[in-house]
């Protein structure tokens, strides 16, 4: 009784589309046959090279050979191009294997219907069924493939680079080949003194920066939002507009303007300090003052965001809760501590976690304001205000230490992902999400 479904599944296993043709769904079967034919043609020319490339990363580098007394450049293997091409081929293989599985599942399902005496859907009926019942899943296939090749693939590529020796000056294609080195890059980063001293120093400042910048902008925005929302404040709309201006101006302009304002030689801030008889401060040239400056400037551009978010939450707090607190004789501070603050934290805790994660990767604030400077002689290609992400940028774009930069990128991801997941699951917003439905 189950022979039909079994035969259809076996035929689709042997060659995509045969099971559909056996189920008398000829157009669908021909489409699957065409997909497999194109795939076979593609993999015959690429799959073997992809397996060779991803294991060897090339055999011969570009070099010069003398031909009749004249030196000629003989092109060799470019390890990075080979790695990318191999990765693309293997991802295409994964997509085809998924299509092959769906083809078998479809043939088996239609076989079951045929055994039950039902007539197989025509191609037009299949299209209508997809549009009526499976439109969302079908529509998401294209963006999913795009995400696979333009988001997931670069992530895998970065991870793989961390296990190679792709770095200047000895392993830069096409003049030199790149080799797999396992965990040597991570060992150098975490243990080798020349790298570990810089890594732990930059990591420490990154955590300090993320905590201080998140706390100052969040509670600064909370304070401003509470002040603007007070009953006695007039022209609240005007105050909101004024306070949102720093956020409305593009961050690039704000940060470059601040860099000029805090310039130690000709900056207006130091000129005013000298005018009042005070000496100017090395805002951007001293390691301590440079860190203070970036935190203060980040407050300027970050407080308006928190202010808008918290003002929105304040409008959703029921007035009944305040009236009940007043009946119980609560003071203004007690109402804030018992009613306002818990409601704000309940609604904004996920955003607060997101802001902390974003500040770890806050490239613009550091790069545009200080460029990671002032220079630190004890660090390897990093300055006193560099975050892990700006150090990664310098290692990649300036020094061609791509394997080390990839290892740092993996560590950044592990820190952010573990922190975010752990803390998000501990928030009341996650545990009591039914309260806001």
């Amino acid at each position: 009784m189950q022979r039909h479904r079994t035969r259809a599944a076996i035929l689709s296993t042997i060659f995509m589309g045969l099971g559909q043709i056996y189920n008398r769904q000829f157009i669908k079967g021909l489409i699957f046959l065409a997909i497999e034919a194109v795939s076979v043609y593609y993999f015959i020319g690429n799959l073997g090279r992809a397996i060779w490339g991803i294991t060897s990363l090339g055999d011969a580098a570009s070099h010069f050979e003398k031909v009749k007394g004249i030196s000629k450049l003989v092109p060799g293997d470019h390890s990075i191009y080979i790695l990318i091409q191999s990765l693309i081929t293997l991802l295409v293989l994964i997509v085809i294997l998924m299509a092959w599985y769906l083809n078998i599942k479809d043939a088996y399902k239609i076989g079951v219907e045929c055994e039950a005496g039902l007539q197989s859907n025509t191609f037009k009926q299949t299209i209508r069924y997809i549009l009526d019942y499976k439109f969302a899943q079908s529509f998401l296939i294209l963006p999913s493939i795009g995400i696979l090749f333009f988001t997931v693939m670069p992530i895998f590529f970065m991870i793989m680079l961390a296990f190679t020796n792709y770095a200047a000056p000895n392993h830069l294609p096409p003049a030199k080949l790149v080799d797999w080195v396992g965990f040597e890059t991570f060992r150098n980063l975490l243990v080798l003194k020349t790298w570990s001293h810089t890594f732990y120093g930059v990591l420490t400042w990154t955590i300090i920066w993320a905590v201080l910048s998140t706390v100052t902008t969040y509670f600064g925005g909370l304070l401003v939002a509470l002040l603007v929302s007070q009953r006695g404040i007039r022209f609240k709309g005007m105050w909101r507009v004024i306070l949102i201006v720093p956020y409305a101006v593009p961050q690039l302009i704000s940060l470059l303007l601040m860099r000029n304002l805090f310039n130690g030689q000709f900056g207006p801030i130091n000129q005013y300090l000298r005018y009042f008889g005070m000496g100017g401060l090395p805002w951007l040239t001293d390691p301590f003052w440079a860190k203070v400056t970036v935190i203060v400037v980040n407050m300027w551009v970050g407080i308006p965001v928190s202010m808008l978010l918290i003002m929105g939450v304040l409008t959703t707090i029921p007035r009944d809760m305040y009236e009940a607190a007043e009946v119980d004789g609560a003071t203004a501070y007690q109402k804030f501590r018992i009613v306002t603050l818990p409601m704000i934290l309940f609604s904004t805790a996920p955003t607060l976690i997101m802001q902390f994660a974003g500040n770890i990767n806050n490239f613009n604030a550091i790069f545009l304001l200080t460029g990671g400077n002032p220079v630190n002689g004890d660090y390897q290609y990093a300055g006193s205000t560099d975050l892990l992400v700006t150090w990664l940028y310098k290692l990649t774009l300036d020094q061609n230490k791509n394997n080390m930069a990839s290892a740092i990128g993996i560590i950044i991801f592990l820190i952010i992902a573990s922190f975010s997941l752990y803390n998000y699951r501990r928030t009341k917003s996650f545990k009591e999400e039914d309260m806001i439905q």
Side-chain angles (χ1 to χ4, degrees), residues 157-170:
F157 176 67
M158 181 202 72
I159 293 172
M160 296 172 80
L161 284 185
F163 297 93
T164 69
N165 55 5
Y166 180 32
N170 298 321

Side-chain angles (χ1 to χ4, degrees), residues 7-22 29-41 100 103-104 107:
R7 288 174 184 171
I10 292 174
L11 287 172
S12 285
T13 303
I14 295 172
F15 211 92
M16 287 173 60
L18 290 182
Q20 282 74 18
I21 294 175
Y22 179 72
L30 290 174
I31 291 174
F32 276 118
L33 281 171
I35 292 173
E36 174 132 352
V38 172
S39 303
V40 169
Y41 176 79
W100 180 63
N103 141 78
I104 298 172

Side-chain angles (χ1 to χ4, degrees), residues 8-239:
I10 292 174
L11 287 172
S12 285
T13 303
I14 295 172
F15 211 92
M16 287 173 60
L18 290 182
Q20 282 74 18
I21 294 175
Y22 179 72
N23 290 329
R24 307 186 66 80
Q25 292 185 312
F26 299 107
I27 297 179
K28 186 194 292 186
L30 290 174
I31 291 174
F32 276 118
L33 281 171
I35 292 173
E36 174 132 352
V38 172
S39 303
V40 169
Y41 176 79
Y42 174 78
F43 289 125
I44 287 175
N46 294 279
L47 186 58
R49 179 173 173 80
I51 295 173
W52 163 81
I54 208 165
T55 53
S56 68
L57 297 180
D59 293 332
S62 299
H63 59 281
F64 285 94
E65 287 186 2
K66 282 192 176 183
V67 180
K68 296 180 180 180
I70 300 174
S71 294
K72 283 190 174 183
L73 178 64
V74 179
D77 298 324
H78 195 297
S79 299
I80 301 306
Y81 290 168
I82 290 174
L83 180 59
I84 295 173
Q85 291 166 0
S86 301
L87 196 54
I88 291 173
T89 302
L90 294 177
L91 287 178
V92 172
L93 177 62
I94 291 173
V95 172
I96 296 302
L97 289 175
M98 292 174 63
W100 180 63
Y101 168 75
L102 293 175
N103 141 78
I104 298 172
K105 185 178 178 181
D106 176 75
Y108 185 85
K109 178 183 175 183
I110 300 301
V112 172
E113 294 178 359
C114 290
E115 290 174 359
L118 302 175
Q119 188 176 1
S120 301
N121 288 339
T122 63
F123 184 70
K124 183 181 292 186
Q125 290 173 328
T126 302
I127 295 296
R128 174 53 56 190
Y129 173 79
I130 291 173
L131 292 177
D132 290 343
Y133 301 101
K134 300 291 183 180
F135 176 77
Q137 295 91 321
S138 304
F139 186 79
L140 289 173
I141 290 176
L142 284 178
S144 298
I145 293 175
I147 291 171
L148 178 64
F149 284 95
F150 296 109
T151 301
V152 176
M153 193 196 78
I155 292 174
F156 278 119
F157 176 67
M158 181 202 72
I159 293 172
M160 296 172 80
L161 284 185
F163 297 93
T164 69
N165 55 5
Y166 180 32
N170 298 321
H171 298 281
L172 277 182
K176 304 287 184 179
L177 291 176
V178 175
D179 302 310
W180 295 109
V181 295
F183 288 92
E184 182 181 339
T185 304
F186 293 92
R187 184 184 64 81
N188 292 339
L189 182 64
L190 301 175
V191 178
L192 193 64
K193 189 173 181 180
T194 54
W195 285 104
S196 63
H197 178 70
T198 307
F199 172 73
Y200 292 120
V202 174
L203 175 62
T204 301
W205 162 239
T206 300
I207 300 300
I208 292 173
W209 153 263
V211 172
L212 291 179
S213 57
T214 302
V215 169
T216 52
T217 55
Y218 182 81
F219 287 100
L222 173 62
L223 176 62
V224 173
L226 291 173
L227 292 175
V228 174
S229 301
Q230 292 295 311
R231 285 185 178 180
I233 299 295
R234 301 179 61 187
F235 309 112
K236 292 186 179 182
M238 180 192 71
W239 288 113

Side-chain angles (χ1 to χ4, degrees), residues 233-277:
I233 299 295
R234 301 179 61 187
F235 309 112
K236 292 186 179 182
M238 180 192 71
W239 288 113
R240 292 191 186 101
V241 171
I242 292 174
L243 294 170
I244 203 61
V245 167
Y247 181 67
V249 175
Q251 197 177 81
L252 172 68
I253 297 174
S254 296
L255 293 174
L256 292 179
L257 175 63
M258 288 293 181
R259 186 172 70 179
N260 289 327
L261 289 175
F262 283 100
N263 186 281
Q265 295 180 344
F266 56 81
I269 293 177
N270 271 356
Q271 290 184 13
Y272 279 115
L273 291 176
R274 294 189 186 101
Y275 178 79
F276 288 105

Side-chain angles (χ1 to χ4, degrees), residues 347-364:
S347 299
T348 61
T351 306
L352 184 61
I353 295 170
M354 184 183 69
Q355 286 180 349
F356 179 85
N359 280 321
I360 290 179
N361 280 332
N362 197 335
F363 179 85
N364 289 343

